Amino acid sequence: MRVLIGGGSGFVGRELTRLLKAKGHEVTIVSRQPGPGKITWSELESNGLPPCEGAVNLAGENLMNPLRWWNESYRKDLFSSRVDTTKTLAQAIADSPSPPRSWVLVSGVACYKPSLTAEYTEDTEWTPFDLLSKLVREWEASALLPESVATTTKQVVIRPGAVLGRDGGAMKQMLLPFWLGLGGTLGSGRQPFPWIHVSDLAGIIAHALEPPADTPPPSQQVLNGVAPALNTNYEFTKELGRLMRRPTVFPVPGFVMNTLMGSERAIVLTQGQKVIPQRTQEAGFQYKYPDLTSALKEIVGS
């Protein structure tokens, strides 16, 4: 199978590329930079979709980029880097004489309202309530294919939580303070912390790319890209500290996070949602890292 990956040079893209190639698939990456095995976004727009059986979009400015101050231009980049690339790929698929059998968008769990008690499955109805949930709504809508194409191309949206792995994602910025013995809970620590190991997220995407056995449904299928374990930020912090043999006695108050990151962005870390991967498990996906201990052991190497 040939797979086209938008934003394939990033943390999740590298892991997905490695997995697909190990399974014997060919991969072409859509990137801002040209190079071997790559095409640029402008080439995609001018030349159309290269031959492929599956397409994925992972492109998007990093929400937790520590080098970007939370301001209007950054918020615009968050939207345009996701929505515009998704529209470009969806348009190329719609215009293709032989569209791929599967089209996967990786969005996020920010559509679900933070709550200490509510549990969300893929069937949960939701309406936008803040900036990031509005982003998810616009992002997922921009991936929708016209009905004429949707009869042959399966459309899947995967909503991951915090993506954990050795060389990127949420862990990259967390490990240094923990090594220094400065790790601690964020905000109250009671907030749910939906997470997934990067290997499992790549596995869910590869699973979703499998061509449909029969006529795909006309609407997007949603899969929650989270581990089945329901953990809080406190549990995550304590387990990471235990495995790294470091103290976790320095909680970071919510107001400090809001000041450092901007309140609209800090909400991702100081508040959370209990997200259940019901349909992901029903689809038969087998997790390599279903619980925090196994995931964090792989990452910190203990």
Side-chain angles (χ1 to χ4, degrees):
M1 180 164 74
R2 281 166 298 187
V3 180
L4 186 73
I5 307 176
S9 310
F11 172 48
V12 177
R14 293 193 302 272
E15 184 70 18
L16 177 61
T17 299
R18 193 190 59 72
L19 175 64
L20 291 173
K21 285 184 172 174
K23 288 174 175 275
H25 303 312
E26 293 174 46
V27 174
T28 302
I29 289 168
V30 193
S31 171
R32 282 176 292 198
Q33 308 299 328
K38 293 181 176 179
I39 62 169
T40 64
W41 289 98
S42 54
E43 284 173 331
L44 179 69
E45 284 193 82
S46 53
N47 302 339
L49 196 75
C52 59
E53 284 80 48
V56 183
N57 196 24
L58 296 165
E61 171 73 39
N62 177 8
L63 174 66
M64 293 298 164
N65 186 347
L67 306 176
R68 294 289 303 267
W69 192 246
W70 188 253
N71 56 24
E72 195 51 42
S73 96
Y74 186 29
R75 285 191 283 266
K76 276 190 178 148
D77 283 353
L78 281 180
F79 272 74
S80 63
S81 63
R82 288 162 172 74
V83 175
D84 294 352
T85 56
T86 304
K87 274 184 181 160
T88 299
L89 262 168
Q91 191 61 54
I93 291 168
D95 293 342
S96 171
S98 54
R101 302 288 309 280
S102 306
W103 160 223
V104 179
L105 173 67
V106 180
S107 60
V109 294
C111 55
Y112 305 123
K113 199 167 194 173
S115 167
L116 295 178
T117 53
E119 295 189 349
Y120 299 102
T121 71
E122 292 91 344
D123 294 322
T124 302
E125 295 286 326
W126 63 278
T127 49
F129 55 90
D130 67 355
L131 181 87
L132 295 179
S133 56
K134 284 178 187 146
L135 169 56
V136 174
R137 174 70 82 200
E138 208 174 307
W139 195 5
E140 293 183 357
S142 65
L144 279 168
L145 299 174
E147 279 179 35
S148 55
V149 186
T151 54
T152 54
T153 300
K154 177 174 73 168
Q155 306 179 79
V156 183
V157 167
I158 298 171
R159 295 176 183 152
V163 184
L164 309 181
R166 281 178 192 219
D167 47 351
M171 294 301 296
K172 201 170 185 179
Q173 290 145 37
M174 284 183 207
L175 288 178
L176 181 62
F178 273 86
W179 279 123
L180 296 173
L182 301 172
T185 53
L186 304 177
S188 72
R190 290 167 49 233
Q191 70 272 27
F193 181 71
W195 62 272
I196 188 162
H197 190 287
V198 66
S199 295
D200 281 329
L201 179 56
I204 293 170
I205 298 168
H207 194 77
L209 279 167
E210 295 292 330
D214 43 29
T215 306
S219 58
Q220 290 169 329
Q221 298 167 262
V222 175
L223 297 174
N224 283 334
V226 295
L230 291 174
N231 297 107
T232 62
N233 175 263
Y234 175 84
E235 290 165 342
F236 170 81
T237 303
K238 290 300 165 193
E239 188 60 11
L240 183 56
R242 185 182 76 80
L243 291 171
M244 294 177 74
R245 299 179 181 85
R246 292 293 188 276
T248 52
V249 292
F250 292 97
V252 185
F255 74 87
V256 173
M257 301 286 292
N258 290 346
T259 306
L260 288 174
M261 304 180 68
S263 57
E264 290 172 312
R265 175 162 61 162
I267 197 170
V268 174
L269 298 174
T270 57
Q271 299 183 36
Q273 318 87 334
K274 292 183 180 180
V275 183
I276 316 275
Q278 185 177 314
R279 211 172 285 158
T280 308
Q281 290 179 296
E282 286 170 359
F285 179 72
Q286 297 290 317
Y287 287 84
K288 280 169 76 178
Y289 305 102
D291 59 86
L292 260 182
T293 305
S294 63
L296 292 177
K297 267 187 176 171
E298 192 283 327
I299 293 163
V300 300
S302 70

